[in-house]
Amino acid sequence: GESVGLHLPTLSVQEGDNSIINCAYSNSASDYFIWYKQESGKGPQFIIDIRSNMDKRQGQRVTVLLNKTVKHLSLQIAATQPGDSAVYFCAENSGSARQLTFGSGTQLTVLP
Amino acid sequence: NAGVTQTPKFQVLKTGQSMTLQCAQDMNHEYMSWYRQDPGMGLRLIHYSVGAGITDQGEVPNGYNVSRSTTEDFPLRLLSAAPSQTSVYFCASSPTLNYGYTFGSGTRLTVV
């Protein structure tokens, strides 16, 4: 899951398995959340978003779950592929004027 | 559409020098932001703009200036570079609030 500091949490999964990446967000007033994927040397890429009036949202091979009671967000990736190897960030709209605030990221490594 | 274009991709500055990081988007997005990313950490908001002529400070604005004279462009100025500003800088845009940001590919800045 997400944490503050210089060392990224890591998650290693076998190719074909499902991945679950967790994020604890900070602000109970946040009502919009996004997951981003960042490959080495590239900018963050939008994966999926969810608003606080929903508990679950599905995309292509990805599902985001939101638990507002415990301020927890998760990203599930089905049938993880080598191309899914990247750092994954969650973000919430808790910043100035509802700008996005990012977590520190989780490094996902897909093993052959 | 080119999306969000950042220049330069790499830059080395000496302490005390000034420079401008360029950001342009061709999606007619109203919202634009600058983030910095330090090793092993998430993205931190420097400045943002909710439309032409309107800018405001984010989480880490000190040492940076911005202006937004057109919808398309949102340059970031370093007034007097310091080693603490060594980082990767990302520009992002969004059509509206609480919508997924599109990120540029980043500018890697080293201050020596």
Side-chain angles (χ1 to χ4, degrees):
Chain A
E2 302 281 334
S3 68
V4 176
L6 295 178
H7 300 287
L8 284 177
T10 59
L11 175 66
S12 297
V13 299
Q14 292 292 139
E15 181 178 354
D17 286 352
N18 296 335
S19 303
I20 300 176
I21 302 171
N22 297 302
C23 175
Y25 65 91
S26 61
N27 192 331
S28 57
S30 297
D31 57 10
Y32 178 65
F33 306 88
I34 305 179
W35 279 100
Y36 281 94
K37 171 186 180 183
Q38 186 176 28
E39 296 173 284
S40 181
K42 297 184 178 180
Q45 177 186 2
F46 175 91
I47 302 173
I48 191 168
D49 60 0
I50 187 168
R51 301 182 190 279
S52 60
N53 60 351
M54 303 174 69
D55 297 322
K56 178 180 179 179
R57 190 164 188 226
Q58 290 184 293
Q60 186 176 13
R61 280 202 307 119
V62 295
T63 300
V64 55
L65 299 178
L66 175 63
N67 185 329
K68 295 179 288 293
T69 302
V70 294
K71 293 190 289 185
H72 184 267
L73 195 66
S74 68
L75 176 70
Q76 301 178 359
I77 304 173
T80 312
Q81 302 170 358
D84 295 326
S85 291
V87 177
Y88 290 80
F89 294 96
C90 66
E92 59 181 301
N93 65 342
S94 64
S96 307
R98 312 296 275 176
Q99 297 299 300
L100 293 178
T101 299
F102 285 77
S104 55
T106 296
Q107 173 73 58
L108 174 66
T109 300
V110 181
L111 305 172
Chain B
N1 283 352
V4 179
T5 302
Q6 291 185 238
T7 55
K9 294 191 182 300
F10 301 93
Q11 183 71 50
V12 179
L13 289 179
K14 293 182 179 179
T15 299
Q17 286 185 317
S18 62
M19 79 160 294
T20 299
L21 279 62
Q22 301 292 342
C23 176
Q25 53 93 5
D26 61 358
M27 298 172 284
N28 201 33
H29 286 175
E30 290 296 322
Y31 285 74
M32 296 187 75
S33 297
W34 276 101
Y35 287 84
R36 62 175 287 173
Q37 184 175 33
D38 299 305
M41 297 181 69
L43 291 85
R44 292 184 291 169
L45 181 65
I46 305 172
H47 285 286
Y48 64 97
S49 169
V50 299
I54 306 170
T55 64
D56 209 340
Q57 296 181 353
E59 180 186 354
V60 287
N62 292 341
Y64 307 95
N65 274 357
V66 292
S67 59
R68 184 97 181 269
S69 57
T70 66
T71 299
E72 294 78 21
D73 299 300
F74 190 42
L76 177 73
R77 296 184 192 83
L78 278 70
L79 308 173
S80 177
S84 61
Q85 293 179 304
T86 293
S87 189
V88 182
Y89 291 84
F90 289 101
C91 179
S93 74
S94 171
T96 185
L97 192 62
N98 291 344
Y99 200 88
Y101 270 123
T102 299
F103 281 84
S105 57
T107 294
R108 186 175 295 273
L109 176 68
T110 302
V111 183
V112 297

